[in-house]
């Protein structure tokens, strides 16, 4: 998805952090304390964001804090913001020095190691309406298996995102496909890709995304064993899906170079009219019409029948906060429906992480334009969105798996062998 420049750093998922030992202290699972919310709120807490203090967002946060303090006299919210670079290092230092802010902005990957080492408050134990007032798919992304095999959530969904599907209707029509009858599942997609390839004499393509982690997730494959201790994504379902892509590659349904370092990526090939389908966030049509004149008014969206990816930022609470009632109350306030909708209006392409946003016309009823359709499709997709990989997955693991899938795609090994090797390598790296 296209990310507004001020938020680029804040949306980078630093997956490798989960292997870096952040968190200090015993790896004893969740902090299970219950917060007493019966007393009147008072005192001071610190609220930390990530790369959000600038001309665009500072007025929003100033008003947010002022509104909360006005509703709760005697409280003070000290807002600090960390730069985009070095956030992992800063969190390491804060945890080690016992200075983690009371309310802290964390993507799922950064929340995971803190929760596993007992540094974040268990929200499942303290917010009974967590899964009804916030989008459940995003709440689930902040759930981690503890040492007893249970799962608790450690982040309030804040600003989120996912992808919908976009199609070049001009290319579809030219190559024998109907923009009014778009594919509705992966089998339809592969069949349509063959029609386009054959009709164009191998000059046009529908597919260009390298099969990988998100495709494995789309088969319903669980990446980890139930106890969360080992990888186990080498399932027959995942292998069968890779087999379909192997055959599609053999049949020439992908553009040349997709498996090489010269591959430009799906979005770039879509802009160049090499491929007729891409994935992107809910505001993509507006950006395409503005930035790519050759595609203006030629792009239509559809529901994402592939498993929609989840991009998420959340607010978590330090389990060691000296004012847990105030921290919990402020985090709930900052992530309530009105405040989230006001925030994402400043960040086009992002979605609120609240269930009540489904009642907002922007997300519930299209105005009949392609952009209006895309906005509704995006919020629908968010309800089913999933993280492509678990927080234990690292870039090094991903690189190795991609190498193995490349060998399978080119016929040098089977799909099952590629997955088996990927699992073995990932587990050896996990042990290290």
């Amino acid at each position: 998805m296209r990310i507004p420049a001020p938020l680029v750093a804040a949306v980078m998922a630093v997956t490798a952090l989960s292997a870096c030992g952040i968190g200090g202290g015993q790896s004893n699972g969740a902090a299970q304390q219950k917060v007493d919310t019966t007393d009147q709120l008072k005192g001071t807490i610190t609220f930390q964001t990530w790369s959000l203090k600038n001309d665009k967002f500072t007025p929003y946060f100033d008003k947010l804090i002022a509104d909360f303090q006005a509703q709760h006299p005697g409280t003070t919210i000290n807002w600090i913001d960390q730069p985009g670079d070095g956030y992992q290092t800063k969190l390491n230092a804060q945890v080690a020095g016992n200075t983690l802010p009371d309310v802290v902005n964390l993507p799922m990957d950064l929340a995971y190691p803190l929760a596993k080492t007992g540094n974040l408050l268990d929200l499942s134990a303290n917010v009974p309406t967590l899964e009804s007032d916030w989008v459940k798919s995003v709440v689930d992304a902040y759930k981690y298996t503890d040492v007893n095999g249970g799962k608790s959530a450690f982040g309030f969904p804040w600003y989120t995102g996912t992808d919908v599907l976009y199609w070049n209707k001009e290319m579809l029509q030219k190559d024998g496909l109907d923009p009014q009858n778009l594919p509705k599942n992966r089998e339809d997609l592969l069949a349509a890709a063959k029609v386009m390839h054959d009709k164009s004499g191998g000059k046009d393509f529908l597919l260009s995304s390298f099969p990988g982690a998100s495709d494995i997730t789309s088969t319903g494959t669980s990446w980890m064993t139930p106890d969360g201790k080992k990888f186990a994504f080498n399932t027959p379902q995942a292998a069968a899906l890779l087999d379909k892509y192997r055959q599609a590659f053999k049949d020439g349904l992908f553009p040349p170079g997709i498996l090489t370092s010269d591959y430009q990526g799906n979005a770039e090939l879509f802009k160049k009219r090499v491929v007729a389908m891409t994935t992107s966030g809910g505001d993509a049509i507006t950006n395409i019409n503005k930035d790519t004149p050759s595609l203006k008014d030629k792009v239509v969206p559809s529901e994402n029948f592939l498993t929609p990816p989840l991009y998420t930022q959340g607010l978590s609470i330090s389990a060691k906060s000296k004012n847990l009632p105030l921290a919990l109350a402020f985090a709930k306030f900052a992530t309530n429906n009105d405040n989230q909708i006001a925030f994402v209006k400043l960040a086009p392409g992002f979605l609120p992480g609240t269930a009540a946003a489904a009642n907002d016309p922007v997300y519930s009823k299209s105005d009949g334009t392609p952009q209006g359709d895309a906005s509704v499709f995006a919020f629908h997709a968010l309800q089913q969105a999933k993280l492509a990989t678990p927080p234990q997955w690292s870039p090094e693991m991903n690189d190795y798996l991609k190498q193995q899938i490349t060998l399978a795609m080119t016929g040098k090994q089977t799909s099952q062998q590629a997955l088996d090797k990927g699992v073995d390598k990932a587990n050896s790296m996990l042990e290290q």
Side-chain angles (χ1 to χ4, degrees), residues 121-139:
L121 180 70
D122 178 353
L123 299 183
S124 296
N126 286 285
V127 186
T129 61
L130 186 64
E131 294 187 25
S132 57
D133 288 351
W134 287 265
V135 175
K136 185 178 183 303
S137 61
V138 191
V139 173

Side-chain angles (χ1 to χ4, degrees), residues 26-238:
Q26 298 295 316
S27 181
N28 57 0
Q32 298 290 337
Q33 69 260 50
K34 287 279 289 182
V35 179
D36 183 359
T37 58
T38 57
D39 292 337
Q40 181 178 355
L41 297 177
K42 59 183 178 180
T44 300
I45 60 168
T46 298
F47 166 49
Q48 177 171 286
T49 55
W50 184 11
S51 193
L52 291 173
K53 181 169 281 191
N54 50 56
D55 292 343
K56 187 173 186 178
F57 295 106
T58 294
Y60 168 84
F61 286 108
D62 286 344
K63 182 178 185 303
L64 178 78
I65 291 168
D67 288 347
F68 181 85
Q69 291 176 164
Q71 292 178 26
H72 303 284
T75 63
T76 299
I77 311 298
N78 291 326
W79 174 35
I80 60 175
D81 185 77
Q82 300 296 338
D85 293 337
Y87 197 47
Q88 170 187 344
T89 301
K90 183 64 178 180
L91 289 169
N92 264 314
Q94 288 173 328
V95 170
N98 201 28
T99 59
L100 189 69
D102 303 89
V103 178
V104 57
N105 174 190
L106 295 172
M108 182 279 301
D109 302 83
L110 301 189
Y112 170 75
L114 271 67
K116 292 293 284 185
T117 50
N119 285 288
L120 297 182
L121 180 70
D122 178 353
L123 299 183
S124 296
N126 286 285
V127 186
T129 61
L130 186 64
E131 294 187 25
S132 57
D133 288 351
W134 287 265
V135 175
K136 185 178 183 303
S137 61
V138 191
V139 173
D140 287 345
Y142 283 90
K143 283 185 176 179
Y144 311 117
T145 304
D146 61 28
V147 292
N148 298 314
K151 278 194 172 183
S152 295
F154 295 88
F156 286 103
W158 192 16
Y159 60 96
T160 68
T162 189
D163 286 347
V164 297
L165 305 182
Y166 292 98
W167 312 81
N168 183 325
K169 60 183 180 180
E170 186 178 67
M171 287 182 67
L172 296 180
Q173 290 169 328
K174 178 169 71 75
D175 294 326
L177 297 170
D178 183 3
Q180 301 300 317
N181 186 26
L182 295 167
K184 295 181 173 58
N185 53 52
R186 198 182 297 269
E187 286 67 31
D188 288 350
L189 178 65
L190 291 169
K194 189 172 190 322
V195 170
M196 174 167 277
H197 172 269
D198 293 349
K199 182 75 172 179
S200 69
K203 295 179 181 178
D204 295 338
F205 302 90
L206 197 58
L207 303 172
S208 68
S209 294
F210 185 95
S214 61
D215 298 291
I216 292 171
T217 300
S218 75
T219 66
T221 291
S222 295
W223 279 76
M224 308 293 292
T225 54
D227 60 8
K229 293 181 179 180
K230 286 186 175 296
F231 287 103
F233 55 83
N234 52 339
T235 65
Q237 297 94 328

Side-chain angles (χ1 to χ4, degrees), residues 234-373:
N234 52 339
T235 65
Q237 297 94 328
L241 179 62
L242 290 184
D243 281 343
K244 292 179 181 180
Y245 278 100
R246 284 184 61 178
Q247 187 62 49
F249 182 77
K250 183 178 180 180
D251 292 343
L253 305 188
F254 289 93
I258 185 176
L259 301 181
T260 72
S261 59
D262 295 330
Y263 175 51
Q264 298 174 336
N266 173 248
E268 189 63 27
L269 294 183
F270 185 79
K271 291 178 184 178
K272 292 181 176 180
R273 303 163 65 88
V274 174
V275 297
M277 187 198 80
T278 191
T279 60
S280 193
D283 68 331
I285 287 182
T286 296
N287 295 318
I288 288 170
N289 286 342
K290 180 176 63 175
D291 300 335
T292 313
S294 66
L295 291 176
K296 183 175 174 61
D297 300 324
K298 294 183 174 69
V299 178
V300 293
S302 77
E303 296 272 8
N304 193 343
F305 54 77
L306 308 171
T307 299
L310 177 62
Y311 315 111
T312 178
Q313 290 283 331
L315 292 184
S316 298
I317 297 170
S318 169
K320 299 175 183 178
S321 168
K322 293 181 171 57
N323 197 333
L324 283 170
L326 180 56
L328 183 60
F330 179 73
K332 291 170 67 175
F333 177 79
T335 59
N336 71 27
N337 189 60
D338 289 344
N339 287 324
Q340 288 216 37
I341 286 179
F343 181 77
V344 297
K345 284 180 179 178
L346 301 173
F350 283 91
L351 299 166
T354 52
N359 300 319
D360 189 300
V362 172
Y363 308 112
S364 61
K365 185 176 181 180
S366 173
D367 60 6
T369 66
Q371 178 58 77
D373 291 344

